Amino acid sequence: MVPDAPAARTGPGPGPGPGPEGLDLAPFRGLRYVPGRVGDPAAVTSPPYDVVVRPDGLHELETADPYNIVRLILPQAADPAEGHRRAARTLRRWRAEGVLRQDPRPALYVYEQRGPAPGSRQRGVIGALSLTGPGDGTVLPHEDVMPDVVADRAALTRATAANLEPLLLSYRAEHPDDADHVIDAATRTTPLLATRTGDGIAHRLWAVTDHAALTRLRAALHRHRALISDGHHRWATSLRLRDEHAGRPPWDRAMVLLVNTARYPLRVQAIHRVLPRLPADRALERVRATAAFRVRRLSAPLDDALRTLDAAPGPAFLLSGREPGALHLLDRPDPALLDRTVPAGRPAAWRALDATVLHTTLLRAVWRIPDEPGSIRYLHDTASALAQAERADGTAVLLRPVAEETVRALAEAGVMMPRKSTSFGPKPASGLVIRPLEEGPVAPEN
């Protein structure tokens, strides 16, 4: 039997406290790859859809294994609608062929990632989280979203009737509680899956199905609220689909990975921009002509240049283009220009964000770049951003990461950062477990 919803909160969470309901994480019958029907489990996994670097990363994943999850999360077709239908057909075929099989009992899935460096371990729990609106205060978004991406993800989810990838959410429990105890106990049992991906990260997955353990875990999480660390577009997609289905199950929940960052702090990295239609020499010309920023060419290697960027006071960026190794530091923006271009009436922390200044001052006022997919690309990887700008004879704009404390403070104040301002990690691998929205019959209890 699946436990009922946990009891009401018995204590406040960190900061101003969770919303009136708290986090409601339910077990589900996960759809997983069947051992023996696929080769190395690592070969069927993928980074999240928005981290895959096209086209090189996509091709590498597609050729790694014929059943790689990238065929579902990033289906390829000239027409996006046909891509979504192709993903749905592929998912149905894999289930019919026995490549994917649904677990017999509902579970919460404990997930561990361990890197090669000492102490680089993260643990959390994957489940189906009840969807709450932005005014509830239980789940805190911190970034705006792009409507076209939400529309695409919604169409894919409708077609496949599945949550294909978990969102990454973080909460803080300063002292070990029942959630930590249940998670730790699960890791002392035999995992459902253990593999190591090409980046050196070891992944392990366990299923928690015991009624008492599930009740304890869910009740402990119910005392907290969470920050959306990665997956704003998928959260917005889930809210849209919930409303389309009038809040009916199973569309009233979304698959998430919840991580207690008091025990396992996340890394926050920047997301860089590539402007394929703006050559770097033209971008620098416009900056100099408007005296918007001080411009300096750096002769240092990339790592040293990034350290110089990190040390720059105030908003600052690194620019690169067609010429390999040619890096220019933009810093010391004109205060009068910032006053004219950065919207007033927002917190000082928001007005000082690099991403805020980039979009309002540089992209909109100085470069006049339209905010549309063909004009701005978002890349998590520095080397990939530089390579794309070089190939396109465009401009790569390298940004600095934002402190997690700043992200959380703005989110708690209800202030949205510009889209793609942060990249929290490590991100969960896609392909370890899928949440089907069209389930088969529940297996009887033993």
Side-chain angles (χ1 to χ4, degrees):
M1 178 182 296
V2 181
D4 295 330
R9 289 184 295 113
T10 58
E21 296 301 325
L23 296 171
D24 178 10
L25 192 72
F28 67 95
R29 294 175 57 214
L31 188 63
R32 298 187 297 107
Y33 285 100
V34 176
R37 292 304 313 270
V38 297
D40 179 2
V44 296
T45 66
S46 165
Y49 79 97
D50 57 339
V51 181
V52 177
V53 180
R54 303 187 198 202
D56 299 341
L58 181 64
H59 176 73
E60 181 180 341
L61 291 166
E62 286 182 328
T63 56
D65 190 283
Y67 298 115
N68 190 284
I69 192 72
V70 78
R71 287 178 168 80
L72 302 182
I73 63 175
L74 279 177
Q76 297 302 293
D79 172 33
E82 174 54 29
H84 303 146
R85 290 190 291 269
R86 180 175 297 174
R89 291 194 298 268
T90 299
L91 179 57
R92 288 195 298 268
R93 186 175 71 253
W94 290 357
R95 296 186 72 169
E97 293 174 354
V99 173
L100 291 168
R101 184 167 57 211
Q102 195 168 4
D103 286 334
R105 300 175 63 188
L108 292 176
Y109 296 87
V110 171
Y111 176 42
E112 179 187 85
Q113 295 161 279
R114 187 190 294 266
S120 58
R121 182 181 67 186
Q122 176 176 284
R123 285 178 181 167
V125 59
I126 297 173
L129 185 67
S130 180
L131 293 163
T132 57
D136 180 88
T138 302
V139 176
L140 303 174
H142 69 268
E143 287 183 357
D144 287 330
V145 297
M146 293 176 277
D148 60 306
V149 177
V150 175
D152 175 77
R153 292 294 102 182
L156 177 63
T157 307
R158 287 189 205 99
T160 58
N163 293 156
L164 300 172
E165 307 177 274
L167 292 75
L168 175 61
L169 272 62
S170 61
Y171 71 99
R172 292 189 66 81
E174 299 293 345
H175 304 288
D177 59 13
D178 275 352
D180 298 308
H181 297 324
V182 172
I183 289 170
D184 290 346
T187 64
R188 293 190 288 271
T189 65
T190 302
L192 297 173
L193 175 149
T195 190
R196 186 181 300 274
T197 46
D199 54 7
I201 304 296
H203 305 261
R204 295 197 294 173
L205 190 75
W206 296 263
V208 178
T209 58
D210 176 74
H211 177 84
L214 287 171
T215 300
R216 290 174 60 204
L217 179 52
R218 297 185 70 190
L221 292 174
H222 199 60
R223 300 185 183 99
H224 299 286
R225 64 176 174 180
L227 176 75
I228 300 178
S229 297
D230 186 71
H232 282 82
H233 289 88
R234 283 167 282 165
W235 182 258
T237 292
S238 297
L239 291 176
R240 174 182 292 190
L241 295 174
R242 177 199 64 179
D243 293 345
E244 288 179 6
H245 290 81
R248 294 189 298 271
W251 300 91
D252 59 337
R253 294 179 179 271
M255 183 171 64
V256 306
L257 167 64
L258 280 169
V259 174
N260 178 9
T261 55
R263 295 189 74 190
Y264 305 106
L266 297 176
R267 298 191 307 269
V268 188
Q269 296 176 308
I271 301 179
H272 310 299
R273 275 61 167 165
V274 172
L275 315 175
R277 299 171 182 171
L278 178 66
D281 55 356
R282 193 182 309 162
L284 293 167
E285 273 178 26
R286 294 182 184 176
V287 173
R288 292 189 178 103
T290 57
F293 283 75
R294 181 178 70 168
V295 179
R296 287 186 291 157
R297 177 161 179 159
L298 302 181
S299 57
L302 176 60
D303 287 346
D304 291 341
L306 290 171
R307 281 190 283 270
T308 300
L309 173 65
D310 286 340
F317 312 94
L318 272 183
L319 264 61
S320 180
R322 181 174 58 184
E323 182 183 352
L327 298 168
H328 290 81
L329 177 68
L330 274 59
D331 65 354
R332 299 187 184 179
D334 174 19
L337 178 63
L338 295 184
D339 287 341
R340 292 196 306 271
T341 56
V342 179
R346 300 286 188 95
W350 181 89
R351 300 185 82 246
L353 289 171
D354 287 353
T356 297
V357 173
L358 171 61
H359 281 263
T360 61
T361 303
L362 277 174
L363 291 174
R364 187 180 305 162
V366 176
W367 292 331
R368 303 192 181 279
I369 298 293
D371 191 357
E372 57 189 26
S375 298
I376 306 173
R377 300 174 187 169
Y378 299 86
L379 286 96
H380 296 71
D381 181 69
T382 303
S384 298
L386 296 176
Q388 284 207 17
E390 183 181 338
R391 286 197 299 266
D393 189 18
T395 299
V397 184
L398 305 185
L399 286 81
R400 300 174 290 192
V402 183
E404 181 181 359
E405 294 78 10
T406 300
V407 176
R408 193 173 293 273
L410 288 171
E412 289 175 349
V415 178
M416 295 295 100
M417 298 169 64
R419 64 192 63 164
K420 299 293 184 181
S421 292
T422 62
S423 175
F424 281 81
K427 301 179 190 301
S430 300
L432 300 180
V433 62
I434 293 169
R435 177 180 174 245
L437 300 172
E438 294 178 351
E439 301 195 14
V442 176
E445 294 279 356
N446 293 331

